[in-house]
């Protein structure tokens, strides 16, 4: 698994390349703790190259989503592969984690969110 990040438009944009499973989920959790400047920032996860996500990786993402929601932000997943999207669907995680087609769409959604973590009406 390879992790990279950048800061853009009030969000930490994280790219995951590879698999997140029981052997790498702790690395993802540690990386998130290190790169997030603030829990108030939205976390945009570019998952276009995320080939596999197991329950331990999902737990890390859900924990990040809970922390973000408590601060009026959110976790946004971008470019999900069908296999990863299916995991989110069958577990019901789509309720806590927002999904988007691309990073720009996620950043736009993040920018339009109110302090309550809910998208403002258009």
């Amino acid at each position: 698994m390879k992790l990279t990040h950048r800061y853009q438009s009030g969000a930490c944009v994280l790219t995951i390349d590879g698999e997140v499973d029981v052997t790498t989920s702790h690395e993802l959790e540690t990386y998130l703790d290190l790169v997030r400047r603030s829990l108030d920032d939205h976390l945009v996860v570019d998952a276009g190259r995320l080939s596999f996500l197991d329950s331990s990786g999902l737990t890390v993402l859900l924990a990040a989503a809970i922390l973000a929601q408590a601060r009026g932000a959110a976790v946004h997943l971008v470019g999900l592969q069908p296999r990863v999207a299916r995991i989110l669907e069958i577990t019901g995680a789509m309720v806590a984690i927002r999904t988007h087609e691309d990073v720009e769409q996620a950043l736009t959604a993040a920018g339009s969110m109110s302090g309550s973590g809910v998208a403002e009406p258009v």
Side-chain angles (χ1 to χ4, degrees), residues 10 22 25 27 36 39 44 52 56 59 61-62 64 70 76 96 112 118:
V22 71
S25 61
E27 181 183 346
R36 289 181 82 185
L39 294 178
V44 175
F52 179 78
S56 63
T59 299
L61 293 176
L62 287 172
H76 305 261
S112 69
V118 177

Side-chain angles (χ1 to χ4, degrees), residues 6-107:
R6 68 183 188 278
Y7 303 105
Q8 187 175 344
S9 304
C12 177
V13 180
L14 169 72
T15 301
I16 304 174
D17 190 343
E19 299 182 357
V20 179
D21 58 24
V22 71
T23 62
T24 59
S25 61
H26 182 69
E27 181 183 346
L28 174 61
E29 182 176 30
T30 301
Y31 192 82
L32 283 174
D33 289 342
L34 291 173
V35 301
R36 289 181 82 185
R37 295 182 292 190
S38 167
L39 294 178
D40 296 345
D41 283 346
H42 290 269
L43 178 62
V44 175
V45 179
D46 185 346
R49 294 184 179 177
L50 176 62
S51 57
F52 179 78
L53 179 73
D54 76 357
S55 61
S56 63
L58 181 59
T59 299
V60 171
L61 293 176
L62 287 172
I66 290 167
L67 283 172
Q69 287 174 352
R71 298 292 193 104
V75 171
H76 305 261
L77 290 181
V78 173
L80 293 176
Q81 299 296 318
R83 185 176 190 183
V84 174
R86 182 72 179 132
I87 299 276
L88 295 172
E89 289 170 11
I90 63 176
T91 61
M94 294 286 206
V95 173
I97 299 174
R98 298 162 188 272
T99 60
H100 307 278
E101 293 297 317
D102 57 46
V103 171
E104 291 307 315
Q105 186 184 59
L107 291 171

